[in-house]
């Protein structure tokens, strides 16, 4: 189940909730009991070690890179 981050406008606390995607925009009460909250935009960091594909000598693919354009 996805986790969503919310901020309470009353007390300023930030908190997370696990809930179905269909309920992500539903109101969420902060742990202190306040109801004036807003869902924050979360970002996902993805790491890895894969290198970018090597470029071919003589240009790339595509129409103009492959020489099919006049």
């Amino acid at each position: 189940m996805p986790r969503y981050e919310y901020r309470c406008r009353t007390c300023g606390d930030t908190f997370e909730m696990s809930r179905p995607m269909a309920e992500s925009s539903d109101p969420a009460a902060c742990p202190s009991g306040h109801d004036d909250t807003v869902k924050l935009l979360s970002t996902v960091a993805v790491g890895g070690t894969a290198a970018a594909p090597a470029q071919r000598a003589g240009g790339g693919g595509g129409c103009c890179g492959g020489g099919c354009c006049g």
Side-chain angles (χ1 to χ4, degrees):
M1 191 171 319
R3 293 185 63 80
Y4 297 96
E5 191 173 21
Y6 299 86
R7 180 181 305 132
C8 178
R9 292 180 178 166
T10 304
C11 65
D13 284 348
T14 301
F15 60 98
E16 293 182 352
M17 290 185 71
S18 294
R19 53 182 12 182
M21 290 175 68
E23 298 175 10
S24 67
S25 296
D26 289 355
C30 87
S32 298
H34 305 120
D35 292 325
D36 189 14
T37 60
V38 62
K39 186 175 88 164
L40 301 177
L41 179 63
S42 300
T43 58
V44 177
V46 178
T49 58
Q55 292 287 337
R56 292 184 287 176
C63 180
C64 293
C68 65
C69 296

